[in-house]
């Protein structure tokens, strides 16, 4: 995935990104670091085609990510099958009547056979430890369980790229540790991961590189994780440490 000199402003007046370029290689894990309002979440949304830049270009898996391109149903289905997005707030992502239906939703939208969908759902329930809540409404889950369902709704699609917005936010330590371990296993399995996070420990554990966004919505640095996290002056400038 990549973007070239993208800029974006909400309502055309409130800058979120300024002249941002990024390259993510297949199988790489990249952490987007920055203070609240620096543009991390917006950059993820651009990569996922949820919003489109005012200027510049976004590419995913070799193809432009534009409003016109994603308007084609076949192209949109291919893209959504290969790129998954896990939202920061799980409740913004979950809407089906049961956990089982939630996990099956994406497969059904892609027109996968019912037997394959059922197999993928059962595998996800087992892998994520959700079998005992499979028939429960997502609104009746704990925060940790809801995060697992949100991740599962992406994993059943078997995407090449997984975008995660503040994946450990508001999670208890046990669930955060479980999630970090799961993401590590996905990285080791060759998935491409891009995660926006304030969690420097998570970035240290998972990321090959860190892209730091400043409060001016520009890239402060793009460097190997160890170099970024050892540069206290940089972290202070980015308002990532006090």
């Amino acid at each position: 995935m990549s973007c070239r000199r993208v800029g974006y402003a909400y309502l055309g007046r409130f800058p979120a990104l300024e002249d941002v370029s990024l390259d993510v290689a297949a199988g790489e894990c990249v952490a987007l670091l920055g203070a609240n309002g620096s543009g991390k979440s917006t950059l993820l949304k651009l990569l996922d085609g949820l919003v489109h830049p005012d200027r510049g270009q976004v590419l995913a898996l070799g193809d432009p990510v534009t409003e016109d391109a994603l308007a084609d149903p076949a192209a949109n289905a291919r893209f959504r099958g290969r790129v998954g997005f896990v939202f920061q707030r799980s409740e913004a992502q979950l809407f089906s009547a049961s956990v089982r239906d939630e996990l099956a939703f994406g497969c059904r939208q892609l027109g996968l056979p019912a037997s394959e969908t059922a197999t993928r759902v059962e595998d996800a329930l087992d892998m994520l430890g959700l079998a005992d809540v499979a028939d429960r409404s997502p609104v009746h889950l704990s925060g940790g369980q809801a995060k697992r369902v949100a991740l599962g709704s992406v994993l059943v699609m078997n995407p090449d790229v997984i975008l995660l917005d503040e994946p450990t936010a508001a999670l208890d330590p046990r669930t955060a540790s479980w999630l970090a371990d799961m993401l590590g296993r996905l990285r080791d399995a060759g998935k491409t991961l891009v995660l926006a996070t304030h969690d420097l420990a998570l970035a240290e554990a998972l990321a090959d590189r860190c892209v730091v966004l400043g409060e001016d919505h520009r890239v402060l640095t793009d460097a190997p994780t160890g170099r970024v996290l050892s540069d206290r002056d940089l972290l202070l400038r980015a308002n990532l440490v006090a």
Side-chain angles (χ1 to χ4, degrees):
M1 306 196 80
S2 65
C3 56
R4 289 283 173 272
R5 306 197 69 174
V6 298
Y8 184 81
Y10 287 98
L11 302 177
R13 295 185 294 128
F14 304 105
L17 294 169
E18 294 282 357
D19 198 29
V20 170
S21 294
L22 171 70
D23 287 292
V24 182
E28 191 174 25
C29 179
V30 175
L32 306 179
L33 304 179
N36 285 339
S38 61
K40 305 186 303 298
S41 296
T42 301
L43 183 52
L44 285 184
K45 291 175 182 176
L46 288 175
L47 294 174
D48 195 52
L50 297 178
V51 298
H52 300 284
D54 300 323
R55 55 195 174 277
Q57 184 182 43
V58 178
L59 296 168
L61 307 165
D63 296 319
V65 181
T66 65
E67 194 168 3
D68 287 343
L70 295 180
D72 176 71
N76 188 64
R78 285 194 301 272
F79 178 79
R80 297 299 169 199
R82 299 185 68 189
V83 179
F85 191 110
V86 180
F87 287 76
Q88 177 178 354
R89 294 173 54 248
S90 300
E91 63 270 24
Q93 188 169 350
L94 307 179
F95 52 82
S96 296
S98 71
V99 169
R100 191 184 303 278
D101 286 341
E102 193 69 57
L103 296 180
F105 179 81
C107 296
R108 289 169 177 163
Q109 294 304 301
L110 290 183
L112 295 182
S115 59
E116 182 177 351
T117 296
T119 297
R120 290 192 184 200
V121 168
E122 291 305 318
D123 288 346
L125 289 170
D126 290 340
M127 178 175 63
L128 298 172
L130 294 169
D132 59 338
V133 296
D135 298 312
R136 190 180 299 178
S137 169
V139 301
H140 297 139
L141 300 178
S142 68
Q145 289 170 327
K147 181 66 76 173
R148 292 182 188 222
V149 176
L151 179 61
S153 69
V154 170
L155 294 184
V156 294
M157 310 285 284
N158 193 25
D160 300 305
V161 180
I162 305 174
L163 311 172
L164 303 108
D165 193 5
E166 297 289 356
T168 56
L171 295 182
D172 61 81
R174 185 180 297 113
T175 304
S177 177
W178 172 88
L179 181 59
D181 180 69
M182 174 61 69
L183 295 179
R185 283 186 277 160
L186 292 171
R187 177 201 59 196
D188 294 343
K191 298 297 184 184
T192 303
L193 304 178
V194 184
L195 50 117
T197 184
H198 288 97
D199 188 339
L200 300 185
L202 182 70
E204 183 177 27
L206 292 176
D208 303 299
R209 284 168 37 227
C210 291
V211 176
V212 182
L213 293 171
E215 293 178 291
D216 62 353
H217 315 292
R218 298 175 182 270
V219 174
L220 278 177
T221 194
D222 180 344
T225 299
R227 187 188 308 170
V228 169
L229 297 184
S230 64
D231 189 339
R232 185 166 178 81
D233 288 340
L234 169 67
L235 299 179
L236 284 167
R237 274 193 293 141
N239 196 19
L240 288 166
V241 297

